[in-house]
Amino acid sequence: MYMLSLRAFVAGVVVGAVVSGGVAVPASARAATPILVAIRAAHHPGLDRLVFEFKGALPAERSARYVSALVADGSGLPVPVVGSARLLVRFGGAKGHGDDGNLSYGPARRTYALPGIIQVVNTGDFEAVLSFGVGVAKKTPFRLYTLKNPSRVVIELTTPYRTVNVKSYFMNSANFNVGRKPYTKGVVRPVATQEPAAGALQRLFAGPTQGERVGLHFVDSKATGFSKVTIKNKVARVYLTGGCSSGGSTFTIADEIVPTLKQFSSVKWVKIYNPAGKTQRPTGSSDSIPTCLEP
């Protein structure tokens, strides 16, 4: 469980702040474009810290602000990220690739098992403008600052709420591939105490962390998320969004959702609805899946 007094952040809170690197200089006098070489995130008392490390100088411009949705630079297409709120982080005068065109900082999409920060995903890297979306559990104050030697841009997101550890269940690929049960494995996630079931499902859709991807896999069955989850009279009802298809497989997202929700004493039965709001057995004391999740 984590608590933090917001007073400590009053002087440093930045919501939608832009920091400029100073007076512009002629192109001929500029140093090489800073290259992003690492992204790190970790929890500290009362906050999650996200660090972008650059080779060379700091980016000339750094900004972060909450947005209602993320879109890819250039194409304008939506960029999905798991979270109840989204931060858009932009670096002007920086890039995230080498001369060979390969990413210089690792995976373009990554998941974290932290109270606040859920996912970080690249949304653009074009003409020396580099941007990322950060999916967070709650919209809370944050601050942005820089460090040198090495060059780093740091975002500290406050986590002024209590959390409880729950489990999200993913496919255990090693077991499934040889027909050895259990086919799922639960991994621990800290979620807000107010809605632990919704929090566990949210972390399920975020997928495994980089370290967990050796052996664990999120089977989404073409669903992109869920619009709501309700629990009443021991029955949990989950409403999927996006698509819905088993692809002919005997293992679907239902096999991950059911144990994720049945870990709670308030849930005995789980009914999963397709994006159109349909399930095969909407009433009665039984589990239920939509037809689209049948093999």
Side-chain angles (χ1 to χ4, degrees):
M1 296 185 180
Y2 311 95
M3 289 293 293
L4 173 71
S5 171
L6 293 184
R7 272 185 232 168
F9 267 78
V10 170
V13 167
V14 176
V15 179
V18 177
V19 184
S20 177
V23 178
V25 296
S28 59
R30 291 175 190 165
T33 302
I35 300 177
L36 181 66
V37 294
I39 300 174
R40 299 185 294 274
H43 182 71
H44 300 270
L47 61 89
D48 283 352
R49 180 176 295 142
L50 178 62
V51 178
F52 297 88
E53 182 177 327
F54 292 86
K55 178 181 178 181
L58 285 162
E61 297 179 356
R62 296 86 63 179
S63 69
R65 62 188 176 91
Y66 282 110
V67 295
S68 59
L70 298 171
V71 295
D73 291 343
S75 70
L77 295 175
V79 178
V81 66
V82 175
S84 300
R86 300 152 199 82
L87 273 173
L88 174 62
V89 182
R90 294 176 69 89
F91 305 108
K95 61 182 182 178
H97 60 275
D99 294 337
D100 57 5
N102 292 326
L103 296 181
S104 55
Y105 56 87
R109 177 182 292 272
R110 58 191 72 198
T111 294
Y112 294 98
L114 302 175
I117 297 172
I118 299 176
Q119 276 192 322
V120 176
V121 57
N122 178 258
T123 56
D125 185 3
F126 182 65
E127 294 185 343
V129 177
L130 182 62
S131 61
F132 290 88
V134 183
V136 299
K138 290 180 177 291
K139 186 177 181 179
T140 62
F142 68 92
R143 67 176 182 136
L144 180 154
Y145 61 93
T146 62
L147 297 170
K148 295 183 178 180
N149 299 318
S151 299
R152 286 154 290 165
V153 177
V154 182
I155 296 174
E156 290 184 342
L157 179 86
T158 61
T159 56
Y161 45 85
R162 294 185 180 277
T163 63
V164 61
N165 285 336
V166 300
K167 287 186 177 181
S168 296
Y169 284 80
F170 298 102
M171 173 194 273
N172 184 328
S173 301
N175 282 12
F176 182 75
N177 290 340
V178 297
R180 181 176 60 242
K181 293 185 176 181
Y183 293 155
T184 60
K185 181 179 178 179
V187 293
V188 175
R189 298 288 189 262
V191 302
T193 55
Q194 292 92 333
E195 297 180 309
L201 280 185
Q202 190 176 57
R203 301 312 178 100
L204 173 64
F205 277 90
T209 65
Q210 294 303 118
E212 295 165 348
R213 288 187 178 183
V214 179
L216 297 184
H217 177 63
F218 173 49
V219 176
D220 60 22
S221 301
K222 296 189 175 181
T224 58
F226 62 100
S227 60
K228 65 178 178 178
V229 54
T230 64
I231 300 175
K232 184 177 180 181
N233 297 327
K234 297 285 187 177
V235 178
R237 301 178 189 273
V238 183
Y239 297 81
L240 299 178
T241 59
C244 180
S245 174
S246 69
S249 174
T250 57
F251 189 101
T252 71
I253 193 172
D255 296 285
E256 299 163 317
I257 289 176
V258 169
T260 295
L261 290 177
K262 285 190 176 182
Q263 71 182 293
F264 301 105
S265 60
S266 59
V267 177
K268 186 174 183 180
W269 309 108
V270 177
K271 296 184 184 292
I272 302 171
Y273 293 74
N274 68 13
K278 303 294 184 181
T279 192
Q280 295 184 86
R281 292 181 294 278
T283 61
S285 300
S286 67
D287 293 333
S288 177
I289 62 173
T291 303
C292 54
L293 293 183
E294 293 286 0

